[in-house]
Amino acid sequence: MIPMTLAEVASIVNGELSDSSLADRMVTGNVEFDSRKVGPGDLFLALEGSRVDGHEFAEDVAASGAVATIATKDVPTAAVYVGDAIAALTKLASVVARRSEAVIIGVTGSNGKTSTKDLMAALCESHGPTVSTRENFNNELGHPYTVCQVQPETRYLVLEVSARGLGHITHLTDIAPPDIGVVLNVGISHLDGFGSIETTAKAKGELPESLGSDGTAVLNADDERVAAMRARTSATVLTYGYRQPAAVSATALESRDGRYAFTLTTPSGQAHVALQLWGEHHVSNALAAAGVAHTLGIPVSQTADVLSSAGRRSQRRMDVFTNADNVTVIDDSYNANPASMAGALRSLAAIPTSGRRIAALGLMADLEELSHSEHSSVGTLAAQLGIDEVIAVGEGTEPIVAAIRDVATSTHGTHTGDQTTAIELIRDRVRPGDTVLVKGSRYRTWDIADHLRGAQEDQIQ
């Protein structure tokens, strides 16, 4: 965090020091809400959870070197008392963002945010000290937490900006106003919060709307709803894409067994990129990252080198490995919506394999009235792609199997009620040389992925 005294912290968060003699103590480290991560100079944020109360660890973090605890109830150590811990963190993050000289980059979209954020972070790190969102810490807690990781020397702050409804992105950009805003796509996701794809587009458009006239909006020309956001910002607009004309583009696209190479063109020149990441969707993600790099003045040759060497940083996202049973596993189980499910299936169809291609697919959550039709579309696509076997896991995935049977191809579809049954089926049917995709919303296929990981043998690079 930007160093400040406890008196400053208390003033910013409208809090009260447990002892006035603490006023001149300096916070020189980070703000942490996980007591296990607290070190000397840190500020501990005590959160009351359903199972664990952070206040119980105040003495432990003090022993680890914490300067004080931000608390909502009495603790026996140095503290800044507040009425609302998350509100206090938000106020602190807002001041940190405004005191920092870092360029703030925000990225949003219905899918691909985390992978693109990781590519942007890699590019920024090649140019200077960078702080970026860890995993998917992109909500009301994770966003200000990430901002508070900024140090005086931080040159770039890369933030994944998430939303489940209107106004969410506006709230997050108020905390840390971005200099560059990137919108990847608008798709069918979180319909429990958005209600419609039109509302989703309106919500995602809050990011370019937040930019000032001196900012840059990096917009996907291949998504018409994103391209239309040009009218919603006073910032300079830089487009990217490889299907529609764009300022940052990919030509001479070539699949290398599921990983793609292309010629990157930006307003500052051209260079060859050969991605290490699996799936055609990463071409678009890489172009978005290249648009940010161009805006920051990073040479196109350096951009191409970083994109070509970048590996997967976040868990359960297109993690391709071979396990001890000589089964190739594509663990893309972190989350799922219709667009990301289709991309994962296409990746499964493209990856080289000596055996069969098998997909274990869990529910795509929060699709509301579109759930039946979208799961049915997944089954149709799997059959059209020639996937050998699909195991649909859990309630709500029955339309996947029904659609496969309607298409009447060689694809075999089976529905299982839970992950335990699916694992038993996999034990029985999967053989050495097979390739298995695991995909679903959040935890719905994690047990299957962990079973297949087992004694992981090697990572495919």
Side-chain angles (χ1 to χ4, degrees):
M1 193 174 79
I2 302 292
M4 58 182 72
T5 66
L6 281 182
E8 287 181 281
V9 171
S11 176
I12 290 166
V13 303
N14 296 325
E16 181 179 345
L17 290 175
S18 58
D19 188 327
S20 59
S21 66
L22 301 171
D24 292 332
R25 279 196 186 183
M26 290 292 299
V27 179
T28 56
N30 294 322
V31 179
E32 294 290 351
F33 57 85
D34 184 339
S35 62
R36 296 166 297 183
K37 296 181 179 179
V38 173
D42 287 350
L43 190 60
F44 178 58
L45 182 73
L47 299 176
E48 290 188 74
S50 58
R51 292 181 296 176
V52 178
D53 185 347
H55 295 85
E56 297 175 359
F57 301 95
E59 290 183 291
D60 292 339
V61 298
S64 297
V67 178
T69 293
I70 295 179
T72 57
K73 59 186 182 184
D74 288 343
V75 293
T77 58
V80 179
Y81 289 112
V82 299
D84 185 316
I86 300 298
L89 179 67
T90 298
K91 292 171 183 175
L92 198 57
S94 183
V95 171
V96 169
R98 284 158 178 79
R99 289 187 182 181
S100 171
E101 296 182 359
V103 176
I104 300 176
I105 304 155
V107 56
T108 195
S110 295
N111 40 266
K113 292 185 296 295
T114 300
S115 297
T116 306
K117 173 263 301 180
D118 289 345
L119 289 173
M120 292 175 182
L123 283 162
C124 288
E125 288 164 4
S126 74
H127 214 232
T130 300
V131 169
S132 64
T133 304
R134 298 179 190 172
E135 293 290 340
N136 71 321
F137 275 26
N138 55 20
N139 59 11
E140 290 78 4
L141 171 61
H143 189 87
Y145 167 80
T146 302
V147 176
C148 285
Q149 307 304 302
V150 167
Q151 298 289 335
E153 67 273 13
T154 302
R155 190 169 175 184
Y156 303 108
L157 173 59
V158 184
L159 295 168
E160 181 178 334
V161 184
S162 183
R164 295 184 68 90
L166 291 173
H168 291 185
I169 289 176
T170 296
H171 169 68
L172 298 180
T173 57
D174 283 346
I175 296 171
D179 301 291
I180 302 172
V182 184
V183 185
L184 303 177
N185 43 57
V186 175
I188 299 172
S189 63
H190 299 312
L191 292 185
D192 57 329
F194 292 124
S196 69
I197 196 167
E198 289 75 21
T199 304
T200 304
K202 186 175 182 181
K204 301 301 182 185
E206 291 172 8
L207 179 55
E209 282 179 352
S210 73
L211 301 169
S213 58
D214 56 346
T216 300
V218 181
L219 303 179
N220 184 358
D222 293 336
D223 187 314
E224 61 181 13
R225 291 183 175 87
V226 176
M229 293 177 191
R230 174 190 291 272
R232 297 174 60 180
T233 184
S234 61
T236 298
V237 172
L238 180 72
T239 58
Y240 72 90
Y242 63 105
R243 294 186 175 91
Q244 298 295 327
V248 178
S249 64
T251 55
L253 202 65
E254 178 186 1
S255 173
R256 302 175 303 132
D257 299 329
R259 291 180 284 189
Y260 283 78
F262 56 89
T263 298
L264 169 65
T265 300
T266 76
S268 58
Q270 291 186 329
H272 180 73
V273 174
L275 296 175
Q276 301 303 306
L277 300 171
W278 297 83
E280 185 178 351
H281 56 287
H282 282 303
V283 175
S284 186
N285 296 343
L287 292 177
V292 170
H294 170 74
T295 302
L296 296 175
I298 299 175
V300 67
S301 58
Q302 182 177 338
T303 296
D305 288 345
V306 172
L307 293 176
S308 296
S309 61
R312 181 190 58 84
R313 292 189 176 194
S314 298
Q315 295 180 345
R316 301 187 188 274
R317 292 173 174 87
M318 292 305 292
D319 181 6
V320 183
F321 59 90
T322 302
N323 68 15
D325 295 326
N326 196 31
V327 174
T328 299
V329 180
I330 306 173
D331 181 358
D332 198 33
S333 63
Y334 184 78
N335 215 341
N337 59 37
S340 66
M341 187 71 85
L345 284 169
R346 291 190 176 97
S347 296
L348 173 61
I351 194 170
T353 182
S354 61
R356 297 165 301 152
R357 293 180 172 87
I358 299 168
L361 306 179
L363 182 76
M364 298 182 292
D366 304 328
L367 295 181
E368 301 299 302
E369 68 275 4
L370 296 180
S371 183
H372 187 282
S373 62
E374 292 300 330
H375 284 90
S376 179
S377 295
V378 166
T380 300
L381 178 61
Q384 292 172 342
L385 291 171
I387 305 304
D388 294 293
E389 181 161 0
V390 174
I391 302 170
V393 185
E395 184 178 356
T397 63
E398 294 90 345
I400 295 175
V401 175
I404 290 171
R405 291 170 180 164
D406 287 344
V407 174
T409 65
S410 59
T411 300
H412 181 264
T414 304
H415 179 263
T416 64
D418 53 42
Q419 294 189 68
T420 300
T421 307
I423 290 170
E424 292 173 356
L425 198 62
I426 286 169
R427 285 196 184 105
D428 181 58
R429 296 187 182 177
V430 174
R431 299 288 181 265
D434 289 348
T435 298
V436 183
L437 165 69
V438 185
K439 180 78 172 168
S441 284
R442 290 299 177 107
Y443 54 85
R444 290 171 176 85
T445 53
W446 288 4
D447 291 347
I448 298 170
D450 291 344
H451 163 74
L452 286 165
R453 186 174 299 276
Q456 180 175 327
E457 193 165 83
D458 61 273
Q459 186 83 21
I460 296 179
Q461 300 292 340

